[in-house]
Amino acid sequence: MSTTLAFTPAPEAAPRSRMLLAQTAMEFRLLLRNGEQVGLTLLIPLLLELFFNLPLLYSLDTPRRIDFVVPSIITLAVMSAAFTGLAIGTGFERKYAVLKRLGATALPRSVLVGGKTLAVLLLELIQLVLVCGFGFALAWHPHGDPAPALLLVVLGTIAFGGLGLLVAGTLRAEITLAVANLVWLVLLFAGGIAIPLSKYGPAARDVLQYLPSAALSDGLHRVLQHGGDFPVGPTITLLVWAAIALPAAARWFKWE
Amino acid sequence: MSSAPAVEVVDLVKRYGARRAVDGLSLTAPAGSVLALLGPNGAGKTTTIEICEGFRHADSGTVRVLGLDPAQTRLRPRVGVMLQDGVGGYPSASALELLRLFASFAARPHPPQDLLEIVGLTSVAGTAVKRLSGGQQQRLSLALALVGRPELVFLDEPTSGMDPQARRGTWDLIRQLRSDGVSIVLTTHFLDEAEQLADSVVVIDAGRVVAQGSPAELTRAGAEGQIRFRAMPGLPLQSLLEELPAGSRAVETEPGRYLVSGDVTPQFLATLTAWCAAQEVLAEDLAVQRRTLEDVFLELTGRELRA
């Protein structure tokens, strides 16, 4: 132990921008280091993209199956990263007192949440590149304006992220793990992702269309598959989910 | 500002259900010194320190940390915290990554590599936090508390789980912090730790302060020292007592074994050995016995400190 330091106090918080950069980099590296997260957010969507493109389960009323599949898989990817992945990651950070320990540092909570959000968005960027790239390889032919599609992805991220934090901040980590995976599975099949809501009866459809997954999926299909205009209905639905989930998460989130 | 106490707690009460974990506790930690909260598990040490750290809210009473309410977020950069159990960091981050992250929260942090070397973790810098041993996690936790160059640190059981060598290294580090002007509040149930490090000790039991003072004051107060030795039987103890201060006692507990008690000062011991020399007696197995904090705690609470 040849090194010595003078411990003379010199406390001062770093600029927020530096904290945000460091926190985002840390969160993002940890996401990529976690095998389950990588599987959930990167590998499974690609496998399902391949699988649903095969006319095995059901027929679609379209000759170009891949044009339906890619917007669905984008929805799945956003849900995986912003809801399931974020909920499970944050739940275990709460369990292992990571959030408690960070609460005793100069890192403001807003910067912590900001870092998590940016890490999820970075992950989604990789997802989009992979899912779309793979889609092009499978002869995907997108229509419409990509700008509303991107807006829907961001809105979906906020709504799903708020729901993920609400689950992670209120339930035990093990329960969060189970709930987040279960919801992921249920929304995959009943939330307008894998199976078009048109395959359901009108009564079920009237309810299911208001799920966040259905709204994001519907909006993306309208734009990317059918080249439609700005999808107002799905946008409003996602806004409402975000407006409920984020304040609820802020209100009930327990840090330890 | 430096004359204000680092921590001031007055009439603190914290209930968990019907149980009062902290029950009217008051203490003051002067700036630039080491205060030890000493007590058995469940005495209320961690609850008290976590209220000072801003993790929990008091039910009643006032707490001031560096003159501020502990809930104030502007306190955070000025205070370093070491939690009791584990690091409280990302389990899959490496030791150095985590220390670098915490360093990035401070404007003028210590260089993470240097700090890691000081706590003896250079060889495991790249190891994931969850794969560090308990003692290594404790040392990383200490480094995380210090990296932002705080003026006050809270150390909750800083050496539990450490091997003896790491423990002594941590004691040296705490002494250096103090001499560099950092205020330190630590909890411990190790008596030697409190005796070795603390300028003042607050003995806590069942949520209350049962004694406080410097280690010397606590072990001296109301106690008399004892000296035992062995020599030939039948020494004329009356002549010894004439030379010792009034109120001293000397008895031959069994043939050839002597017990001298009183206000045992260095002079007292010198008088005794001079008397032995005059008697041409070599006192064997001479032992000066002082009260320890363990004795004090036992007297105050009727319980052993480490159950």
Side-chain angles (χ1 to χ4, degrees):
Chain A
M1 292 226 255
S2 52
T3 306
T4 54
L5 288 174
F7 288 99
T8 321
E12 192 185 327
R16 279 173 172 245
S17 55
R18 214 177 88 199
M19 293 195 216
L20 183 63
L21 197 66
Q23 188 64 31
T24 305
M26 185 88 225
E27 299 266 359
F28 187 58
R29 260 179 308 172
L30 292 176
L31 276 179
L32 295 186
R33 197 172 295 171
N34 184 325
E36 288 161 41
Q37 291 271 13
V38 170
L40 172 77
T41 57
L42 297 177
L43 299 182
I44 290 178
L46 289 184
L47 287 176
L48 291 181
E49 186 171 3
L50 183 67
F51 179 71
F52 287 132
N53 195 41
L54 305 173
L56 295 175
L57 288 181
Y58 45 79
S59 69
L60 289 170
D61 317 320
T62 168
R64 296 190 47 80
R65 197 175 174 95
I66 190 68
D67 288 357
F68 168 78
V69 170
V70 172
S72 288
I73 296 298
I74 292 174
T75 304
L76 176 73
V78 169
M79 184 171 77
S80 301
F83 175 72
T84 308
L86 184 67
I88 293 172
T90 308
F92 279 96
E93 285 169 15
R94 201 164 71 100
K95 176 182 164 121
Y96 293 129
V98 176
L99 300 183
K100 176 180 178 177
R101 183 65 191 84
L102 287 174
T105 67
L107 180 74
R109 281 179 182 175
S110 57
V111 178
L112 174 63
V113 173
K116 284 191 174 300
T117 309
L118 286 178
V120 167
L121 288 173
L122 277 174
L123 181 63
E124 288 180 354
L125 198 64
I126 297 181
Q127 289 177 317
L128 285 177
V129 168
L130 289 176
V131 169
C132 294
F134 193 42
F136 286 128
L138 298 173
W140 176 45
H141 187 268
H143 305 265
D145 184 356
L150 276 178
L151 178 73
L152 283 167
V153 165
V154 170
L155 275 180
T157 302
I158 295 170
F160 275 121
L163 289 169
L165 291 177
L166 180 62
V167 171
T170 52
L171 302 178
R172 283 198 1 243
E174 293 77 6
I175 311 275
T176 295
L177 179 70
V179 167
N181 279 320
L182 187 68
V183 168
W184 183 89
L185 201 62
V186 169
L187 290 185
L188 172 62
F189 290 105
I193 295 176
I195 304 164
L197 287 186
S198 56
K199 298 273 176 192
Y200 289 83
R205 200 163 56 223
D206 283 349
V207 177
L208 294 178
Q209 65 172 324
Y210 295 111
L211 289 171
S213 56
L216 180 56
S217 179
D218 181 27
L220 289 176
H221 281 110
R222 284 198 213 175
V223 175
L224 295 176
Q225 188 182 5
H226 305 297
D229 288 337
F230 186 79
V232 177
T235 302
I236 291 174
T237 304
L238 288 174
L239 277 174
V240 170
W241 276 103
I244 294 170
L246 282 177
R251 167 76 181 76
W252 283 298
F253 197 96
K254 289 199 286 285
W255 293 82
E256 55 168 301
Chain B
M1 192 179 76
S2 59
S3 60
V7 177
E8 199 168 22
V9 174
V10 181
D11 292 332
L12 179 66
V13 174
K14 178 69 184 178
R15 294 182 204 87
Y16 295 124
R19 194 173 73 85
R20 284 173 171 244
V22 178
D23 192 7
L25 183 144
S26 299
L27 59 83
T28 301
S33 70
V34 179
L35 178 87
L37 303 183
L38 177 69
N41 292 330
K45 304 187 299 288
T46 294
T47 301
T48 302
I49 212 167
E50 291 206 338
I51 290 170
C52 295
E53 290 162 349
F55 288 129
R56 298 169 196 283
H57 293 288
D59 289 323
S60 66
T62 50
V63 177
R64 284 286 172 275
V65 175
L66 301 172
L68 296 171
D69 184 318
Q72 296 259 345
T73 51
R74 66 196 160 112
L75 262 179
R76 300 292 169 261
R78 300 172 63 191
V79 176
V81 165
M82 182 176 175
L83 297 178
Q84 188 176 133
D85 293 312
V87 176
Y90 297 98
S92 51
S94 77
L96 183 57
E97 272 181 322
L98 199 58
L99 195 55
R100 280 195 175 132
L101 176 69
F102 278 50
S104 72
F105 300 156
R108 290 177 296 273
H110 290 298
Q113 297 268 19
D114 293 353
L115 195 51
L116 217 50
E117 187 178 339
I118 281 177
V119 297
L121 292 180
T122 302
S123 62
V124 291
T127 304
V129 170
K130 64 184 167 195
R131 302 205 195 290
L132 298 176
S133 73
Q136 289 170 335
Q137 293 197 358
Q138 286 288 93
R139 284 184 272 160
L140 176 59
S141 188
L142 181 60
L144 293 174
L146 300 179
V147 71
R149 305 185 67 172
E151 57 191 281
L152 165 66
V153 289
F154 290 106
L155 311 176
D156 199 353
E157 310 261 356
T159 63
S160 65
M162 286 187 188
D163 60 49
Q165 191 193 346
R167 197 150 173 253
R168 274 190 296 277
T170 302
W171 286 1
D172 288 342
L173 185 52
I174 291 172
R175 289 190 191 102
Q176 199 204 331
L177 290 173
R178 180 186 177 281
S179 70
D180 286 347
V182 179
S183 307
I184 296 142
V185 176
L186 61 89
T187 73
T188 184
H189 55 257
F190 295 118
L191 290 147
D192 53 346
E193 191 156 286
E195 279 180 324
Q196 287 281 328
L197 295 177
D199 297 294
S200 48
V201 176
V202 175
V203 184
I204 299 182
D205 186 48
R208 291 172 171 275
V209 174
V210 291
Q212 53 187 316
S214 69
E217 284 166 353
L218 283 173
T219 49
R220 196 167 56 222
E224 51 179 23
Q226 295 180 333
I227 300 176
R228 290 174 189 276
F229 64 94
R230 214 156 45 78
M232 64 181 182
L235 290 177
L237 292 174
Q238 193 53 43
S239 69
L240 170 62
L241 286 175
E242 283 164 13
E243 295 183 31
L244 288 174
S248 305
R249 279 164 305 170
V251 290
E252 191 172 352
T253 53
E254 54 186 291
R257 293 184 184 276
Y258 297 89
L259 172 64
V260 183
S261 53
D263 184 12
V264 177
T265 60
Q267 185 55 50
F268 187 103
L269 178 60
T271 305
L272 171 64
T273 52
W275 177 81
C276 287
Q279 303 289 326
E280 299 194 354
V281 161
L282 181 65
E284 295 174 14
D285 295 343
L286 185 132
V288 180
Q289 295 164 335
R290 278 189 344 133
R291 287 209 316 174
T292 64
L293 282 174
E294 179 86 61
D295 300 327
V296 174
F297 188 82
L298 191 64
E299 281 167 33
L300 290 168
T301 67
R303 283 203 300 282
E304 300 280 338
L305 193 52
R306 302 198 63 194

